[in-house]
Amino acid sequence: MSEGTAVSKENTEELVALAAEAYVYGCPLVHGLSAVEDFMHTGFGPLPPTPFNHFAHSAQLDLPYTHFVSADNDTVHSIAHLDLSGGPVVLHVPDTDGAYYVLQFVDAWTNNFAYVGRRATGTGAGDWLVVPPGWSGSVPDGVRGVIDAPTSVVSVIGRNACNGPEDLERVRALQAQFALTHLEPGTHRTGLPAPDSDVPEPLRFFEQLRVWMADFPPSAADQAYQDRFQPLELLEEGPSPYVSADPALVHALTEGLARGRARVEEASRPAAAREGWEMDPHLFDYNLDWHGVGVVDSPQWRITDREASYPARAVAARTVLWGSHGYEAVYAHTVRDADGEQLNGAHSYVLRFERQPPVEAFWSVTMYGLPDHRLVENPAARYSIGDRTPGLVYGEDGSLTVHIQRERPADPDAAANWLPAPDGDFRPVLGLYTPGPEILDGTYEIPAVERSGER
């Protein structure tokens, strides 16, 4: 305990409230960097463990046995975690010949600060220089641009559109061409700064926050805000103050942790299911300071109140870590039919698009079972349906009717447009990649799922 910071009974409640604020403020940093650390040691789903400054590529589309929720059957993932402490990294991207892809750059605080890909920079081949904070070296000839990283550790989340298993060979050939090379000689660490292992487990979160805040400082405005946490000893450098902390401080931190976590959990809890589709294109608008390549720097895409951005960032990190801005991709979901009843495989349904969703890339409806939110095994091996699905049957007026039910429809046209459903409750998700303005402003109304008859 630092001199002059002993905790009295009178200020313990104030410290508890402050610790709760610190949790909300800092949990994106701790949650995100813990995921980076886990990724390097254990991988993620089909992606293998991979060290800094190397890409990990999934070799397949997600399938029902993929062991994580809300698996993606539209794109094939590639992830790289960059360490820029030893200097810049050159990123090479291939020519995708017009096919959709995106590389999304996320800093240690989970801010989406740059995008490279079809929407942001086109689909041509080229090199990009990713530089650490404060770098002032010479940019080599031939690079398309410089990506200024807010922190020395960066996550690059890649998605390549894949039009089914038959398209995997093309995607794998592209994946092999994504490359990362060091611009100059330097020492690159092999892991994140380690919290003191002697800190008791109940205080581990705050020890991680203390160590990682020091190594990955936020913007100047955020840093001014986090100065308020000095009474919690979060700004202490050197040996950990939590190894033998004052009992009153330990109480304040543990109670504050519980309150802060409950606050984030409550804010993350889905609202009561309503009729119609729900989506939030502004879930990631908390980045107020870093607007690099491909980021839309507009008040429309920024939360106006900085302090309100911290709980928003915490919820996003808790629910959809490393998700993208709504203008890159947005996802609508529903669990109710047009009459407000829970969607269930005991019934058959139709989803009729009088006009297809206005997107610049592509759209699809993916089926997830409840309560596990996993893809639904079915004899057709069809897990999603959309504008890239071959063999769809359109109406003479250009409309498209998707048939959602457990068993294959007897009618050939309906069978061509079949999205298989599970036996029990389910949740379809409409993925909209590079959505048009009508989607983002709500002008385009997604049609309701309508019950078409009993089995």
Side-chain angles (χ1 to χ4, degrees):
M1 198 73 184
S2 300
E3 184 180 351
T5 58
V7 182
S8 66
K9 292 181 180 179
E10 290 75 17
N11 65 9
T12 295
E13 182 56 34
E14 291 181 8
L15 285 183
V16 169
L18 192 62
E21 287 184 39
Y23 178 85
V24 173
Y25 171 80
C27 71
L29 177 71
V30 174
H31 190 53
L33 290 181
S34 295
V36 170
E37 200 164 51
D38 290 345
F39 186 91
M40 289 191 295
H41 291 99
T42 61
F44 178 72
L47 296 167
T50 307
F52 277 129
N53 300 335
H54 291 80
F55 272 106
H57 300 294
S58 176
Q60 62 187 30
L61 285 163
D62 293 339
L63 296 169
Y65 54 77
T66 301
H67 296 296
F68 54 91
V69 300
S70 299
D72 182 359
N73 198 244
D74 289 322
T75 63
V76 179
H77 291 84
S78 299
I79 293 180
H81 298 296
L82 309 185
D83 169 48
L84 306 174
S85 61
V89 169
V90 178
L91 164 70
H92 176 77
V93 298
D95 184 352
T96 67
D97 194 26
Y100 178 85
Y101 86 98
V102 62
L103 296 179
Q104 169 192 335
F105 293 76
V106 189
D107 74 5
W109 291 86
T110 71
N111 294 301
N112 296 323
F113 67 90
Y115 294 88
V116 168
R118 176 174 160 173
R119 175 197 61 82
T121 59
T123 61
D127 292 336
W128 297 86
L129 186 66
V130 189
V131 305
W135 185 78
S136 58
S138 299
V139 177
D141 295 335
V143 299
R144 290 185 58 185
V146 175
I147 297 173
D148 291 294
T151 55
S152 60
V153 163
V154 168
S155 298
V156 182
I157 312 303
R159 303 175 183 90
N160 276 281
C162 184
N163 300 332
E166 66 282 353
D167 194 33
L168 279 170
E169 184 177 353
R170 176 192 66 83
V171 173
R172 289 169 184 156
L174 289 174
Q175 288 177 326
Q177 298 175 64
F178 287 94
L180 294 163
T181 55
H182 301 306
L183 178 65
E184 52 201 27
T187 301
H188 295 261
R189 57 190 158 201
T190 57
L192 295 172
D196 192 320
S197 60
D198 290 331
V199 171
E201 182 59 31
L203 302 184
R204 178 172 171 77
F205 170 87
F206 289 104
E207 173 66 1
Q208 289 174 308
L209 182 56
R210 183 188 72 87
V211 171
W212 290 341
M213 279 198 319
D215 214 67
F216 308 106
S219 68
D222 282 357
Q223 199 153 14
Y225 176 86
Q226 77 180 28
D227 285 346
R228 69 202 291 133
F229 303 132
Q230 178 62 61
L232 302 173
E233 311 238 6
L234 277 170
L235 306 184
E236 294 293 319
E237 298 181 359
S240 174
Y242 303 133
V243 171
S244 55
D246 183 281
L249 178 60
V250 173
H251 166 75
L253 292 173
T254 53
E255 177 62 23
L257 176 71
R259 290 189 193 179
R261 182 176 289 155
R263 194 177 300 168
V264 174
E265 290 294 325
E266 178 63 27
S268 303
R269 188 171 295 124
R274 299 175 296 179
E275 295 179 30
W277 297 81
E278 299 179 46
M279 68 176 180
D280 184 1
H282 297 287
L283 184 60
F284 296 91
D285 289 2
Y286 51 79
N287 173 16
L288 307 182
D289 303 297
W290 315 109
H291 304 102
V293 173
V295 173
V296 178
D297 185 6
S298 164
Q300 177 190 359
W301 297 102
R302 289 197 298 271
I303 294 174
T304 56
D305 182 347
R306 181 171 294 274
E307 290 198 22
S309 74
Y310 303 137
R313 182 175 66 183
V315 169
R318 166 67 180 79
T319 58
V320 198
L321 182 66
W322 301 332
S324 61
H325 279 100
Y327 48 75
E328 184 66 45
V330 70
Y331 304 88
H333 60 92
T334 185
V335 295
R336 302 288 185 188
D337 65 19
D339 298 319
E341 298 296 325
Q342 169 68 52
L343 297 170
N344 187 279
H347 310 288
S348 57
Y349 304 88
V350 294
L351 174 60
R352 178 179 171 83
F353 292 97
E354 301 290 346
R355 180 168 68 100
Q356 291 195 48
V359 295
E360 295 180 17
F362 63 93
W363 66 268
S364 73
V365 182
T366 302
M367 175 63 68
Y368 298 100
L370 294 176
D372 58 5
H373 298 276
R374 299 191 188 279
L375 298 173
V376 174
E377 187 69 68
N378 65 86
R382 175 180 282 182
Y383 312 108
S384 63
I385 194 169
D387 57 0
R388 301 169 302 154
T389 304
L392 295 181
V393 177
Y394 293 84
E396 293 183 2
D397 58 357
S399 63
L400 175 67
T401 300
V402 177
H403 294 262
I404 303 174
Q405 56 190 67
R406 189 179 60 215
E407 297 164 354
R408 182 189 298 273
D411 177 76
D413 289 351
N417 297 357
W418 176 40
L419 179 61
D423 291 335
D425 293 345
F426 61 85
R427 171 179 172 260
V429 173
L430 175 61
L432 304 156
Y433 294 81
T434 318
E438 293 174 87
I439 290 173
L440 297 175
D441 65 18
T443 305
Y444 177 81
E445 185 174 349
I446 304 171
V449 179
E450 299 181 349
R451 191 181 298 187
S452 61
E454 299 296 331
R455 294 192 183 285

